[in-house]
Amino acid sequence: MNRKPRVLVLGATGQVGGALVHLLKVRPEVEVVAAARNPDKAARLGVPVVHLDLDRIETFAPALEGVDRIFMATGYTVDMLRQSKDLVNSAKRADVSQIVHLGACGDDDTRVAHYGWHQFIERYIEWSGVTFTHLRPEIFMQNLLGYGGESFIVNGAIRHYVGDARLSWVDCDDVAAAAAACLLDPQRHAGQILRMGYEALTYHDVARILTAALHQPFSYEARPPAEFLRNVLAAGAEPAYMKCVFDSYTDFTNGVDIGADQIFDNFPEIAGRQPGTLAAFVGKHADRFRY
Ligand SMILES: NC(=O)c1ccc[n+]([C@@H]2O[C@H](COP(=O)([O-])OP(=O)(O)OC[C@H]3O[C@@H](n4cnc5c(N)ncnc54)[C@H](OP(=O)(O)O)[C@@H]3O)[C@@H](O)[C@H]2O)c1
């Protein structure tokens, strides 16, 4: 190829995709293009933008023209199944040579439904024959800033719905760093599933870390999962996805072990540095937590 490989980043206006665009746009060896359903929203990213709406298949072929590598991200919706299938088919037709997929947590035999949806997508990508790497991050630290339209931390009070469960955490910036490493060197992690979660903490631990970092008291109150479902649906979140999250929160609250506290040691090999800690994340976003 006598031009730079073109990398198309989906979810570029979101948490992981946005961080990925910033990492790739300074790399001279690739050309990065942001895909957005609302191109105006992506203009601030400072890279070329193409229109791609995952719910409008007619936007796929023009957006994929000349694309070599894709970062494939979908939103918090069951529509990910239909959207991803269409996208993989279109990518194949467009001779895309690599897909890096943003999936979710879990062992292969997970019974958490939305983790399973991502695994169906993984298998479909594999079936396509395109070179792939699957990212399976555990819980995003960014959820502490808000999730499903809900703020969990207000004036030092952490309200959450997972009882005393210990969860494995990862910073979206680290997920983006892993995606960048894969997209810059497609063969390095080809055919692999990269599990990503580096610190196992309960929300009581999170409260302690916030208290120590910000010198203000934070405390955690476990709330009933039904309250979560009510709040996120009222905020407009997608019901099928949030029902799965609710089911997993119910399991956590009831002490069911769904393997959500597993941590991994792969990040230095993937990204050449240590993963971010929750204390460092709190430091980066101190203004959002302080009251
Ligand atoms: N939160 C967690 O703890 C966690 C853990 C593991 C895995 N995950 C997975 O991470 C993924 C979400 O990543 P994120 O948090 O970075 O997402 P996010 O910040 O919510 O952003 C979603 C992105 O997808 C775009 N998008 C949504 N619908 C679209 C459509 N129809 N066409 C084109 N683009 C569309 C959004 O565009 P707009 O800006 O236009 O809305 C946005 O750029 C999900 O698949 C989730 O399962 C989350």
Side-chain angles (χ1 to χ4, degrees):
M1 192 189 302
N2 51 12
R3 60 169 177 82
K4 290 181 187 181
R6 183 177 297 168
V7 179
L8 186 69
V9 177
L10 275 78
T13 53
Q15 304 187 111
V16 178
L20 175 61
V21 167
H22 288 297
L23 292 174
L24 290 181
K25 76 178 184 186
V26 295
R27 298 298 297 245
E29 58 273 52
V30 293
E31 177 195 345
V32 59
V33 176
R37 58 177 161 180
N38 176 356
D40 288 345
K41 194 172 168 189
R44 64 181 162 78
L45 293 168
V47 298
V49 178
V50 293
H51 180 217
L52 190 157
D53 185 336
L54 286 164
D55 292 323
R56 292 181 53 199
I57 195 167
E58 70 275 15
T59 64
F60 289 16
L64 290 168
E65 219 165 283
V67 168
D68 302 292
R69 305 172 188 173
I70 298 180
F71 175 69
M72 190 170 146
T74 48
Y76 296 84
T77 169
V78 66
D79 292 338
M80 67 166 72
L81 291 166
R82 168 182 51 77
Q83 295 168 339
S84 301
K85 185 171 194 292
D86 285 343
L87 190 74
V88 171
N89 291 340
S90 300
K92 210 173 157 179
R93 276 195 290 273
D95 282 332
V96 167
S97 60
Q98 182 199 21
I99 295 175
V100 174
H101 171 245
L102 174 60
C105 346
D107 291 326
D108 289 340
D109 62 355
T110 182
R111 296 203 59 245
V112 178
H114 60 301
Y115 302 173
W117 298 346
H118 275 300
Q119 294 178 358
F120 282 126
I121 295 168
E122 290 176 353
R123 302 292 83 72
Y124 194 72
I125 292 169
E126 290 167 20
W127 178 78
S128 77
V130 175
T131 296
F132 69 88
T133 304
H134 303 315
L135 306 180
R136 277 194 201 167
E138 302 287 325
I139 305 299
F140 291 170
M141 294 181 188
Q142 276 73 3
N143 293 359
L144 297 173
L145 303 172
Y147 179 78
E150 207 193 344
S151 297
F152 297 130
I153 307 183
V154 179
N155 293 336
I158 306 177
R159 299 155 59 86
H160 214 289
Y161 310 93
V162 295
D164 297 330
R166 187 172 301 278
L167 306 175
S168 175
W169 296 83
V170 60
D171 187 331
C172 285
D173 290 350
D174 289 348
V175 181
C182 296
L183 289 158
L184 289 166
D185 186 356
Q187 286 311 316
R188 196 157 138 232
H189 295 289
Q192 294 180 10
I193 294 171
L194 303 181
R195 303 282 305 268
M196 305 188 70
Y198 301 109
E199 202 175 3
L201 300 167
T202 66
Y203 274 94
H204 298 290
D205 298 327
V206 171
R208 265 195 300 98
I209 290 168
L210 281 159
T211 302
L214 302 179
H215 307 293
Q216 288 183 305
F218 284 80
S219 62
Y220 168 51
E221 182 191 0
R223 304 286 306 166
E227 183 179 301
F228 164 80
L229 193 58
R230 224 175 20 251
N231 291 351
V232 290
L233 295 186
E238 195 266 331
Y241 192 100
M242 289 304 162
K243 169 67 166 56
C244 302
V245 177
F246 161 78
D247 287 342
S248 67
Y249 287 178
T250 303
D251 277 350
F252 286 133
T253 298
N254 293 336
V256 177
D257 179 8
I258 59 174
D261 60 351
Q262 298 178 69
I263 56 171
F264 305 92
D265 61 2
N266 53 5
F267 194 71
E269 197 272 316
I270 296 168
R273 62 171 171 80
Q274 291 299 321
T277 60
L278 196 98
F281 177 81
V282 168
K284 271 196 292 186
H285 299 280
D287 290 347
R288 303 278 299 276
F289 296 116
R290 216 171 253 128
Y291 61 97

